[in-house]
Amino acid sequence: MKLPCPKCQSTETKVTSVDKKDDHVARYGRCLNCDNKYITRERVEDRMRTNAGNFKLNDHQVTQIGLNIYGLSTTEWANIYDVASSTVLKAKERHLRSSY
């Protein structure tokens, strides 16, 4: 997926150079539509961000529970993520709401 140009929002962009730094990767890009030059930086987070509030599962975990491609029960998901069964049920509800 190409990131849009920060100036004109065109997705016709090109990465012209990549620099690997100690704590991040810098990508130098150019928009093929407006010729704007820009830099994006990517760094690894120490931990995954979680949903707002006291909810204990992150977005990836909510998606995994919602899709349930492994056919696991609520109790099995609760044991995997070390949360209460009610948290797994809330994750299922969140996934359903975000699917619409």
Side-chain angles (χ1 to χ4, degrees):
M1 179 176 122
K2 287 188 173 187
L3 291 175
C5 170
K7 184 176 179 183
C8 74
Q9 302 304 309
S10 171
T11 56
E12 297 297 318
T13 59
K14 180 179 180 178
V15 174
T16 57
S17 179
V18 177
D19 288 341
K20 294 181 181 177
K21 308 287 185 176
D22 289 338
D23 63 339
H24 70 279
V25 174
R27 288 184 181 81
Y28 299 84
R30 183 173 61 86
C31 177
L32 301 175
N33 186 46
C34 72
D35 209 34
N36 180 48
K37 294 179 182 176
Y38 58 91
I39 301 171
T40 61
R41 290 181 174 84
E42 177 183 8
R43 66 182 172 91
V44 175
E45 295 284 337
D46 291 336
R47 59 190 168 101
M48 291 183 73
R49 292 183 186 172
T50 59
N51 291 301
N54 293 327
F55 196 70
K56 296 181 181 185
L57 300 173
N58 63 46
D59 292 333
H60 176 74
Q61 292 167 327
V62 169
T63 301
Q64 292 296 306
I65 291 169
L67 295 175
N68 198 13
I69 61 174
Y70 305 108
L72 300 176
S73 69
T74 299
T75 304
E76 289 171 316
W77 281 115
N79 289 334
I80 289 170
Y81 291 128
D82 194 26
V83 295
S85 295
S86 61
T87 301
V88 174
L89 294 174
K90 288 176 188 173
K92 289 179 181 180
E93 291 171 11
R94 276 189 185 207
H95 180 75
L96 285 174
R97 282 196 308 262
S98 68
S99 299
Y100 293 109

